[in-house]
Amino acid sequence: MQVSVIVIGDELLLGQVTDTNSGEIARHIAPYGWEVNDVQTVGDEAHEIRRAIDRAFELTDVILTTGGLGPTKDDITKRVLCDYFGGELVEDHSVLENVMKVINAKGFKLNKLTAAQAIVPTSCRVIQNRVGTAPIMWFERDGKVLVAMPGVPFETREMFQSEVFPQLREKFNTDVDIEHAVLMVTDYTESGLAEKLAPWEDSLPPYLHLAYLPKPGLIRLRIDGAHNDKNFIISEVRRATAELKRILGDAILATEDLTPAQILLQECRKRGLTLATAESCTGGNIAHEITLVPGSSDVFVGSVVSYSNGIKTGVLGVSAKTLNDNGAVSLPVVREMSAGALRVTGAKVAIATSGIAGPRGGSEAKPVGTVCISTSVITTKGTLSRAETFHFAGTRQRIIESATTRALIKAVKHLRSV
């Protein structure tokens, strides 16, 4: 099943806001055998919105719009849709009640502009927005559907996944069963992985498809299967997954759609180990990724953001001589940082980073993007530490994100080897 997405708002065309809704929609529907056929971005102009709808209905039976539903004068989508599908704009008491509930929960007072959100076209079916004030509107014509959703990414994501998409699947039900599996792969570039898997991928039957979804330092491989025989396609997806596991071996970090932080937390829990970080160039970003995971407190005990050399020596106990002889960005320093994190926090596993995130501060010997990472694990045989130097490319943010991902993956592999 294919859908069209229309993203509405002058702020998008001006570059003041970046569209994330279309990508979120595409990612969510893909495992169910649905796909986004077309994405259009238009401003708050009636003629352009109408033209985009006409074009989208020529391509697909389902249109999803985001944006243009706010209470201000420039948000005209509601009026355009009323004109397009017919009917009139009237106050819906159930919508007003929902708006008041949302506003009261946020501790605000209802004003006239927000109350006007309850005015909706009589030609639509309203889906109440539990997390915002703009109602979601479902329009139908000649067996085709347009669903108008708010532009706020959080609202769109929550309501699309919980309400809109389940209702679309129910309306456009097919006999095809969709199954999928996910493998998290490291140690390969996207092109390198594609080359490795080319012979296998070329032999795939038409009812199986392999998708590459890369992130810095990690590639999510998704196997999608579609067939009208549910048991058959489940068996085939499992068979394909087992074959990939044999081909890629230890490069597979997980067989679930998990972040590196989630994978590391699982590995620590299996062994009853606690975790800490000592971060210089990553500035606490590793700790941030770990604490984004619900329930991480049973494993993660804390972090030392040792951005200055004074904190490295005064808190983590890094030797001044080690710093002077090797520089802050060096393997000896990060080894002492990870060992210091174990001592200071009482954790059994520690990650340490020190590097040059840029855009300045690099040298010929240690260019921007140089990051040293150490992991230390307390075992029955003593403390085992492993340190390695990496070179990452890109902006400062990209380097920090890459170093964060690599550090988490390095810790996972260290634990699995001891």
Side-chain angles (χ1 to χ4, degrees), residues 124-180:
C124 81
R125 174 171 66 85
V126 170
I127 299 175
Q128 301 293 356
N129 185 351
R130 299 188 313 273
V131 292
T133 59
I136 294 158
M137 297 174 290
W138 178 297
F139 297 87
E140 292 194 35
R141 175 187 289 174
D142 301 327
K144 298 190 175 189
V145 172
L146 183 149
V147 184
M149 299 180 291
V152 180
F154 166 73
E155 295 181 27
T156 299
R157 180 176 66 251
E158 291 295 314
M159 295 307 300
F160 179 73
Q161 294 182 9
S162 65
E163 298 288 345
V164 174
F165 188 53
Q167 293 185 37
L168 285 171
R169 289 184 67 203
E170 184 176 353
K171 179 172 179 61
F172 295 96
N173 186 34
T174 67
D175 294 330
V176 175
D177 188 77
I178 305 297
E179 298 296 330
H180 64 276

Side-chain angles (χ1 to χ4, degrees), residues 73 75-76 129 147 186 202 237 240 244 270 295 331 380 398 411:
K73 291 182 180 180
D75 290 310
I76 63 171
N129 185 351
V147 184
T186 187
D202 290 342
V237 169
L244 280 179
K270 288 178 187 176
L331 298 181
T380 55
R398 177 86 172 189

Side-chain angles (χ1 to χ4, degrees), residues 329-361:
V329 182
S330 64
L331 298 181
V333 166
V334 289
R335 285 193 191 98
E336 292 190 20
M337 287 173 64
S338 61
L342 293 177
R343 184 178 61 257
V344 169
T345 65
K348 301 300 183 183
V349 181
I351 303 170
T353 61
S354 185
I356 306 163
R360 295 178 297 276

